[in-house]
Amino acid sequence: MQPRTPLLLCVLLSQVLLLTSAEDLDCTPGFQQKVFHINQPAQFIEDQAILNLTFSDCKGNNKLHYEVSSPYFKVNNDGSLVALKNITAVGKTLFVHARTPHAEDMAELVIVGGKDIQGSLQVVDSDRPEGSKFRLTGKGVDQEPKGIFRINENTGSVSVTRTLDRETMATYQLFVETTDVNGKTLEGPVPLEVIVIDQNDNRPIFREGPYIGHVMEGSPTGTTVMRMTAFDADDPATDNALLRYNIRQQTPDKPSPNMFYIDPEKGDIVTVVSPALLDRETLENPKYELIIEAQDMAGLDVGLTGTATATIMIDDKNDHSPKFTKKEFQATVEEGAVGVIVNLTVEDKDDPTTGAWRAAYTIINGNPGQSFEIHTNPQTNEGMLSVVKPLDYEISAFHTLLIKVENEDPLVPDVSYGPSSTATVHITVLDVNEGPVFYPDPMTVTRQENISVGSVLLTVNATDPDSLQHQTIRYSVYKDPAGWLNINPINGTVDTMAVLDRESPFVHNSVYTALFLAIDSGNPPATGTGTLLITLEDVNDNAPFIYPTVAEVCDDAKNLSVVILGASDKDLHPNTDPFKFEIHKQAVPDKVWKVSKINNTHALVSLLQNLNKANYHLPIMVTDSGKPPMTNITDLRVQVCSCKNSKVDCNAAGALHFSVTSVLLVSLFSLACL
């Protein structure tokens, strides 16, 4: 149904503003008195002055405007508060808001004995049928958040049941309709929009901290360092959220208390001092802390404030070259020694945590043999000059190095490395008694094993590096694991005092190693060590041997193979295989045993007929291929066992219990490994 008559809507609006204290100045903008107390009268009389308010913006009060929280009151130009009509109940508190282009303030009128009233609006329908009722619906009534608004079903008065927060919900879309006594809609629903007017009840907040900015030393005036941005939850369309920024405090305040400026609208922090004052090396502290204040109400004194700390680091640039603390350094080192011999010290005014301070050293002259190296100590920035190749006093007792120092980072264009960035190092080499040196080292000799005792192997030669001292040298054996060698202490002749055996456990890969000492006549004496490597040539001095030496066979075996024999020899080829296998003699009738060659290292022993259960000893003769050859005779013990019902019985035949099959498998495995 279309409404017959437009509904007239009126909204009572209220505002609550926080009181702001002003600083004690000769003229303080705002109300001279901010809180008043009056007793609740029987009635406020129309146009009768209730009290007088005094407001000043300290600039003439041009365009002064007053607002009262109740629509039933006003403030005249002379500051008198009057009622617009006769009224009894107005609540417990009235607020008066005064504003000029330069200042604004709030005064509070406390009504002693007054009663709470809720803000309300009146819905009027002049043609509403008799007996009809008003009904209110929507978010804030019967939808979440429920119960904020209610309507007097008879009068159409819409009231608020609790405090509204614009930051939670800025508008409410309600619907009003009229119904008959049975609840049937007569008119509507008609939309009713309730707009919550913002109050300045939220302080600006800096939410993105910590705020840390960096600016290079010597930067031009006006260089942007960083931006500070605060957030205000109030209505951005009002001055309640219109922010202005300023710097409240700078620490330290040297060399100028105003090193930086902040754009009041954007929050950009820029430098305002000359590049010469922004010199990190002359600053008391390269870190500045600024207390930044954001104030709403466009920065007016009545605005709420929030603060944050901005930390600004003055970053270093490489505008100072490193300089040696002196032009010449001295160092001494013993010949033959290695390691750090001197630390070169430098000064650099730049930041020790950057590459503009860290030094890099280079030897630019006096090091043709690359005997020296220089590295930077990361803690002290000193140059650690080291000997990396032992020096020889007899070759050169003095060395002079020219060293330069630079920074890891390049210098700025208007700064260069000067004479103080190079230094000379004078190095004195101290003579020490050096041990004799064998030449060659190692010494090598090749001999056949088993040479006769007393055979001369070689004469060792050691020289004394201390050629200017004219010392004598004596020799001795240092390590001779097998005890085979002897050395003449005067002339260094080495001969044998035992038989050399290539198959000895002290010989590895046919090479025997011994160590000798050469001792000079210095005080104290110095010693040198020389190594002798003797390569031993093989001779056929080891007879071959067979394996295994025990075998089993069944007395009724159909397969008369007994065992596969292998042979081995400690000597080297050609003094080893091919081996020759033979039966040396038989203790049983002829034509019982047979030996057949399989390959160069193995042979098969077999029976020509079955034998009775017993132990048999078969002498096997094996001969190697050496010249002259060597032969070994070994008894092969063969156990002939009773094999019935898958059981092998060798008790009557002897002690061991190996089946012929097992022995053959072991032997075949040995073949596979060759």
Side-chain angles (χ1 to χ4, degrees), residues 305-364:
T305 61
T307 61
T309 299
T311 301
I312 298 177
M313 305 298 299
I314 310 301
D315 291 338
D316 187 38
K317 63 180 180 180
N318 197 8
D319 55 352
H320 294 86
S321 62
K323 298 178 180 179
F324 283 103
T325 57
K326 50 187 178 180
K327 289 298 295 179
E328 294 186 349
F329 294 85
Q330 306 292 330
T332 58
V333 60
E334 292 183 347
E335 64 172 330
V338 294
V340 177
I341 58 173
V342 66
N343 291 313
L344 309 184
T345 53
V346 295
E347 293 178 345
D348 195 317
K349 295 180 180 180
D350 291 313
D351 185 357
T353 64
T354 67
W357 177 81
R358 290 190 292 270
Y361 297 88
T362 307
I363 302 173
I364 59 177

Side-chain angles (χ1 to χ4, degrees), residues 140-143 145-150 161-162:
V141 183
D142 56 350
Q143 300 175 28
K146 296 180 180 179
I148 294 178
F149 301 96
R150 63 187 177 189
T161 63
R162 57 180 181 264

